[in-house]
Amino acid sequence: MKFKKFQLTNILTILFMFVSCSDSSFLSSHWKHPISEQGLPPSQFPPLEKSLDPKDCATCHKDQFQNWERSLHSKSVSGGFLWQKEILSANEFRSCLNCHSPLPETKSELDLEYHTTTILNSKSHNFPNGIGNPSILCASCHIRNQIRFGPPPRTNNDKKITSGNIPHNSYVVKNEFESSEFCKSCHESKETGVKLNGKRLMEVYSEWERSPFAKQGIQCQNCHMPDREHSWKGIHDKTFVQKSLLPTWEVKEKNGEYQIFAELKSIGVGHEFPTYVVPKIYLRFYVILNDKRKPLLLEESVVGRIVNTNLTEEYADTRIKPKGSHIVRFDYKPNENSIQEFFWKIEVDPDEQYVRTFQEQLDNRGNELSKQSLILLRESLAEKKNSLYTLFTLSWKVPASLPR
């Protein structure tokens, strides 16, 4: 297909042709797998524009690149993903690639199935310096068949184009880029997927759709991509999570017995918290006695969806619904009046399910894995174990602050 250079005099024509508000068929075609290879870049593009390497995109999209580079999207193909290729069937692994490495050009870095002449030719032209990171790239969401797609432009009357050509032959505007439905393809299990207690393993979109946030028109992007920031922050980001939850508690004493009431409220999470089976939240309550240095654990509660490592059985689901709460009540009567303070510690284990699963695989199948996969498994397991962090610590001094 021959591409024409568009002069500035054609801006109105371009906007008329390329601006599209909403198209019910766009997302189904945009995320139809397998995604087609990009093909040859337009011949009139300079080398920088022909390249789909994120580092070249950064020439004009510096902020987006820097945020992406720090995000989990840029790490979707990591050691924790790669070692599993040995224990998955070929079809299972390729199914995972649809979200972890959507483009056929990046898939060819990971599976010989994609070493076709057409795909390799497309890769050599669009990634002339090779693919250093076959994860989710800029082009994974924004480019199909050499056509650029994106959200509506910002209104900025102070910066108007006055000369030169429009980059990339302009782009197709799609409102879907600012819609939760855009994220659904990779953050919602298919209806035919595994169900435990009638629930799929991922129902993020459905949870949001039933929430007050959906009714208010608040989309995934409003929280996870504020001001179009390409960071996609979530459960691994302490500050992000702190802003979404509100812990409150009260300690009362009556006849030497202490009554503790604690509430962890979801105030800014548009889906169940935490949404996946992977993270767990630990609520632990301690007392410090005057004659003992080490805190005494009084009560523990877990927030999360707890399933076995084979993903065949659900043991419990204590997740917090949007605007809902997790409440803990218990009593404590010490042997003698020697309490110094109570404190409540809330910890987040973003990768708990991975830790259990990876440890089990290491223990049971470590001797069956190749040397390289074993190294990746061990490194990933150590990384997942280190992701645990303390979200909140609340203290209640005794007796000065005790209501009676």
Side-chain angles (χ1 to χ4, degrees):
M1 178 178 181
K2 188 176 180 180
F3 287 79
K4 297 181 180 180
K5 281 192 175 181
F6 291 91
Q7 304 300 319
L8 287 175
T9 52
N10 299 115
I11 288 178
L12 291 178
T13 305
I14 291 170
L15 290 175
F16 176 76
M17 291 173 60
F18 278 25
V19 173
S20 171
C21 292
S22 273
D23 180 355
S24 59
S25 64
F26 167 68
L27 289 177
S28 58
S29 62
H30 196 72
W31 292 118
K32 183 179 179 181
H33 294 287
I35 293 173
S36 298
E37 60 276 352
Q38 298 293 349
L40 299 182
S43 59
Q44 76 275 13
F45 276 11
L48 188 67
E49 251 183 306
K50 288 180 179 179
S51 173
L52 300 187
D53 189 321
K55 292 179 180 177
D56 289 323
C57 300
T59 305
C60 295
H61 305 283
K62 182 179 177 181
D63 290 342
Q64 289 89 338
F65 172 79
Q66 289 179 342
N67 284 315
W68 165 83
E69 197 173 31
R70 293 188 293 266
S71 77
L72 289 180
H73 275 195
S74 75
K75 302 173 181 64
S76 59
V77 174
S78 61
F81 174 77
L82 290 173
W83 79 264
Q84 297 182 64
K85 185 176 182 180
E86 283 194 29
I87 65 171
L88 296 172
S89 69
N91 286 337
E92 287 173 332
F93 183 71
R94 288 166 193 155
S95 176
C96 295
L97 288 178
N98 287 340
C99 285
H100 284 263
S101 183
L103 299 177
E105 292 84 357
T106 56
K107 288 178 179 178
S108 71
E109 295 286 311
L110 305 166
D111 195 319
L112 292 176
E113 174 75 11
Y114 302 96
H115 279 206
T116 67
T117 302
T118 307
I119 292 175
L120 294 179
N121 187 48
S122 177
K123 181 168 73 171
S124 67
H125 284 85
N126 291 287
F127 298 91
N129 297 317
I131 299 176
N133 178 3
S135 295
I136 300 169
L137 311 182
C138 312
S140 302
C141 294
H142 289 285
I143 305 177
R144 296 291 183 271
N145 300 312
Q146 294 297 340
I147 298 174
R148 274 66 177 169
F149 296 88
R154 299 175 188 269
T155 302
N156 191 340
N157 295 325
D158 295 328
K159 293 183 179 180
K160 293 183 178 179
I161 300 174
T162 56
S163 63
N165 297 317
I166 299 174
H168 309 310
N169 284 341
S170 191
Y171 76 103
V172 180
V173 174
K174 290 292 183 181
N175 284 343
E176 286 85 349
F177 276 82
E178 296 184 320
S179 163
S180 293
E181 197 171 359
F182 190 88
C183 312
K184 181 179 179 180
S185 175
C186 284
H187 295 277
E188 179 98 351
S189 299
K190 296 188 185 331
E191 280 293 340
T192 54
V194 174
K195 289 186 179 181
L196 303 180
N197 282 353
K199 296 167 291 189
R200 289 165 288 163
L201 294 179
M202 292 192 298
E203 294 190 341
V204 191
Y205 181 82
S206 298
E207 292 166 9
W208 165 82
E209 201 171 29
R210 296 189 295 266
S211 77
F213 293 86
K215 296 177 176 61
Q216 296 168 24
I218 299 173
Q219 309 294 319
C220 301
Q221 293 85 340
N222 293 120
C223 296
H224 296 283
M225 296 181 69
D227 198 31
R228 297 186 177 178
E229 183 182 285
H230 284 49
S231 56
W232 302 285
K233 291 178 181 176
I235 193 69
H236 289 82
D237 189 282
K238 178 177 178 176
T239 302
F240 180 80
V241 179
Q242 282 180 329
K243 292 178 180 178
S244 304
L245 302 169
L246 178 63
T248 57
W249 69 326
E250 185 177 33
V251 180
K252 293 182 178 180
E253 186 268 337
K254 185 177 181 181
N255 299 326
E257 185 173 43
Y258 295 88
Q259 300 170 333
I260 293 90
F261 175 89
E263 178 182 16
L264 182 62
K265 186 174 179 61
S266 174
I267 58 174
V269 185
H271 45 72
E272 297 201 11
F273 176 80
T275 183
Y276 298 131
V277 299
V278 179
K280 303 295 180 293
I281 319 299
Y282 302 108
L283 284 60
R284 296 189 177 101
F285 300 85
Y286 299 86
V287 65
I288 298 179
L289 301 174
N290 290 323
D291 58 345
K292 293 183 181 179
R293 292 182 180 180
K294 188 176 180 180
L296 175 65
L297 178 63
L298 300 178
E299 188 77 13
E300 180 178 32
S301 185
V302 181
V303 177
R305 189 178 178 192
I306 306 170
V307 304
N308 64 356
T309 55
N310 293 326
L311 304 178
T312 58
E313 186 178 357
E314 177 183 287
Y315 303 132
D317 187 351
T318 58
R319 294 175 297 167
I320 307 173
K321 295 186 181 300
K323 300 297 183 182
S325 297
H326 182 85
I327 294 173
V328 178
R329 292 187 184 91
F330 66 94
D331 299 331
Y332 171 63
K333 189 170 184 176
N335 292 330
E336 49 187 67
N337 191 18
S338 58
I339 295 178
Q340 189 178 112
E341 71 174 299
F342 292 95
F343 72 91
W344 175 18
K345 187 176 183 180
I346 303 173
E347 288 185 305
V348 176
D349 192 348
D351 300 305
E352 186 277 334
Q353 179 78 17
Y354 290 142
V355 171
R356 265 191 299 134
T357 303
F358 289 7
Q359 187 65 62
E360 183 178 283
Q361 291 294 326
L362 180 61
D363 294 340
N364 297 339
R365 303 181 65 174
N367 59 350
E368 301 173 14
L369 297 174
S370 67
K371 182 178 179 181
Q372 183 58 33
S373 291
L374 189 57
I375 290 172
L376 292 175
L377 171 56
R378 284 175 171 157
E379 289 178 346
S380 183
L381 178 58
E383 176 189 316
K384 303 303 182 188
K385 285 181 176 179
N386 287 331
S387 66
L388 181 78
Y389 63 87
T390 299
L391 185 65
F392 297 108
T393 301
L394 292 80
S395 175
W396 196 296
K397 299 290 184 180
V398 176
S401 57
L402 276 180
R404 292 180 180 270

